[in-house]
Amino acid sequence: MQLASIGEQGPRLRTLTLREHHGDTLWFTTDTRSVKASHLADDPRAEACWYDLTSRVQWRFAGRVDFLTRERHAEHCQRLWDRLDEQARARFNGPPPGSPWHGEPTPAGATPTAHFALLRLTVHNVDVLELACTPHRHWFYRGEQAPRRLVP
Ligand SMILES: Cc1cc2nc3c(=O)[nH]c(=O)nc-3n(C[C@H](O)[C@H](O)[C@H](O)COP(=O)(O)O)c2cc1C
């Protein structure tokens, strides 16, 4: 998925792997030293977007982000850490994302490093655009309210 945040310099977008979803929340893994982490700590508003090529549906999820750290959510952090491959784990052991390259980081261990956290997006609005039908269909969901049909 692409996840947008807002910083002092303006908006910023990046690709994140959706790891899990629970109720109205989407879960990702991230490095607490990344730009997104500082943006979202200052302003938790975020939007995630995904276009499913098979069903030809665009999903847009708007809401607020919080972070689940290993200190307070050890079990969840460990579960998602266990699913990362060795390379992905090692990145949490090296310098911060976006800093100058100084070679491969050393492998990380079996438990999450201090910089590993889960980024949880609690969704308030869902915007769905269906392109597989004619005319296209566009729906807007807010909380538990019935969806509103909009112009595509
Ligand atoms: C296919 C793909 C999957 C990615 N998955 C993640 C991820 O799960 N978590 C993450 O922090 N970054 C992931 N990235 C890297 C981010 O897109 C981004 O480059 C990085 O997180 C730094 O973003 P930031 O500087 O905006 O914080 C992924 C990139 C790609 C292309």
Side-chain angles (χ1 to χ4, degrees):
M1 301 184 92
Q2 270 73 52
L3 183 95
S5 60
I6 312 163
E8 269 178 20
Q9 311 297 323
R12 180 148 158 143
L13 193 61
R14 77 284 289 163
T15 307
L16 294 184
T17 307
L18 177 65
R19 308 284 172 178
E20 290 185 349
H21 56 93
H22 302 277
D24 59 357
T25 63
L26 303 178
W27 292 31
F28 306 88
T29 56
T30 203
D31 191 311
T32 54
R33 302 165 298 170
S34 63
V35 169
K36 76 182 86 48
S38 63
H39 276 190
L40 292 162
D42 291 344
D43 184 343
R45 292 175 299 164
E47 190 163 71
C49 187
W50 171 46
Y51 178 57
D52 179 6
L53 283 169
T54 310
S55 60
R56 299 183 59 211
V57 177
Q58 172 182 266
W59 297 88
R60 230 170 4 188
F61 303 92
R64 295 176 90 79
V65 162
D66 67 342
F67 292 91
L68 278 56
T69 59
R70 64 176 190 174
E71 286 76 24
R72 300 188 60 189
H73 301 273
E75 208 176 298
H76 292 313
C77 286
Q78 186 68 54
R79 184 178 67 254
L80 295 190
W81 178 260
D82 288 344
R83 291 197 208 140
L84 297 183
D85 63 29
E86 213 167 285
Q87 272 240 326
R89 288 185 193 182
R91 279 197 290 276
F92 289 94
N93 222 17
S99 60
W101 174 255
H102 289 298
E104 293 273 356
T106 53
T111 53
T113 72
H115 312 300
F116 177 79
L118 308 184
L119 186 163
R120 178 171 64 180
L121 176 65
T122 300
V123 176
H124 300 147
N125 303 330
V126 184
D127 184 287
V128 184
L129 182 61
E130 299 177 284
L131 302 186
C133 44
T134 309
H136 296 165
R137 287 193 297 235
H138 184 187
W139 305 98
F140 184 75
Y141 296 77
R142 184 189 292 278
E144 300 291 312
Q145 294 169 21
R148 278 193 290 137
R149 186 165 180 179
L150 304 175
V151 174

